[in-house]
Amino acid sequence: MRISEIAAAAGTTPRAVRHYHRLGLLPEPGRPDNGYRDYGMAELTRLMRIRWLAGNGLPLGAVATVFANEHGGSDTEDLRADLTALHDEITQRITQLTRKQEGVARMLSAVAAGRRLTALPDEVADAFDRAREQADEPERAALDQERDILEVFALSGDTPAEMFTWFTHALADPAARTGYRRLLRGWERLHGRPVAQSAELIEEMAQEIAGQLRRLGFDSVIAATANIPESASALTEDTLVPDPAQRQAVRRAMELLNIAPDTGGGAS
């Protein structure tokens, strides 16, 4: 067989065959009197094995190790390490692609249903949309801020499912809505106020937050959040609640609930 024929038989190109020659992966056959390389079955088998190994993801350096091992080489451990690393890399890619596939499928469903694309679970997003339709303008602003914070948690990937369940209940349950809307109005009143001049309102807001969390069973969320390693997320109070007065109310509420808040090293 000429080089063009063996390349075609192996599903590759003459250029690739010559490249394998240069790397020493495919020995060059002898040249008859006509001066052309004369490839036989041995070369075809070797070429197809190179293609098969490379097609399974082995780098050409590892392909050389495979052939060296077959002839009494001593690189078994190196080959095992190469294959293990390749297997781990492929597994990681599959995991990433599966997650992306699931995410895109969810986006397609959302678009088909006329939904806004969001990282929030559908039931939470629907609860926010319904609450917003029934709210007045100050409450809408607070709801939007609340939704943004929760979406940041969702995008971080560190949020326990219990938190989403709690928000769905707080937004959708008629009995819970009254207290939650009162909380939102107080939260909005705190925005932009100087901390030093708002001690009474901050304490009132903290008591309201702590009371609402207790009444609506936020204990399960707290317990679930406690299982997340401190290093799992870069999110801090300063990031999530940039307004100093509101942040102070949150910290005071956490004190009332006997929770040590993550201050992130920021000043009030």
Side-chain angles (χ1 to χ4, degrees):
M1 285 183 288
R2 301 283 177 85
I3 190 170
S4 58
E5 294 172 328
I6 191 174
T12 187
T13 65
R15 182 178 180 181
V17 174
R18 294 188 186 96
H19 182 57
Y20 299 147
H21 285 325
R22 287 193 295 271
L23 294 176
L25 296 176
L26 181 64
E28 293 193 41
R31 295 174 184 264
D33 295 339
N34 60 15
Y36 292 105
R37 295 186 183 96
D38 186 15
Y39 296 90
M41 186 56 64
E43 288 80 20
L44 176 60
T45 302
R46 176 83 165 218
L47 177 57
M48 293 186 73
R49 291 193 67 211
I50 294 171
R51 300 287 295 164
W52 171 69
L53 291 167
N56 278 290
L58 268 72
L60 293 180
V63 172
T65 303
V66 171
F67 292 146
N69 271 323
E70 293 176 346
H71 295 91
S74 57
D75 293 329
T76 303
E77 290 302 319
D78 288 344
L79 177 59
R80 182 180 292 112
D82 285 342
L83 291 172
T84 299
L86 178 60
H87 182 274
D88 293 345
E89 180 185 348
I90 292 172
T91 300
Q92 185 178 13
R93 287 181 184 175
I94 290 172
T95 301
Q96 292 172 343
L97 286 173
T98 299
R99 184 170 63 247
K100 288 181 179 179
Q101 182 186 46
E102 292 171 350
V104 172
R106 185 167 174 263
M107 291 180 194
L108 283 170
S109 298
V111 171
R115 294 174 179 272
R116 168 182 170 182
L117 293 183
T118 175
L120 294 174
D122 291 343
E123 60 274 14
V124 181
D126 289 345
F128 268 106
D129 288 342
R130 286 192 297 268
R132 200 176 190 285
E133 289 174 0
Q134 301 168 20
D136 56 24
E137 192 54 43
E139 289 176 29
R140 288 195 188 103
L143 278 169
D144 289 344
Q145 182 182 19
E146 195 89 348
R147 178 174 181 147
D148 285 345
I149 291 174
L150 194 58
E151 184 147 18
V152 167
F153 273 115
L155 290 165
S156 75
D158 300 327
T159 312
E162 289 86 351
M163 181 174 288
F164 294 126
T165 301
W166 184 87
F167 270 95
T168 302
H169 172 70
L171 290 164
D173 182 82
R177 276 296 306 281
T178 300
Y180 185 71
R181 291 176 72 178
R182 184 171 62 248
L183 188 152
L184 287 179
R185 287 194 294 270
W187 183 258
E188 191 61 24
R189 285 200 306 273
L190 265 183
H191 181 70
R193 295 178 64 96
V195 173
Q197 301 172 21
S198 308
E200 184 176 343
L201 187 56
I202 287 172
E203 180 64 24
E204 179 184 329
M205 191 72 246
Q207 293 285 348
E208 183 69 28
I209 292 172
Q212 286 293 328
L213 296 183
R214 287 196 190 99
R215 283 193 293 274
L216 295 174
F218 201 67
D219 294 12
S220 62
V221 179
I222 295 169
T225 305
N227 294 326
I228 299 175
E230 291 183 5
S231 60
S233 176
L235 301 176
T236 66
E237 277 186 350
D238 289 5
T239 302
L240 297 172
V241 190
D243 183 86
Q246 292 175 339
R247 187 164 63 246
Q248 190 62 31
V250 170
R251 290 178 180 174
R252 174 58 181 151
M254 296 302 100
E255 290 177 2
L256 294 171
L257 291 168
N258 294 318
I259 304 169
D262 176 13
T263 63
S268 297

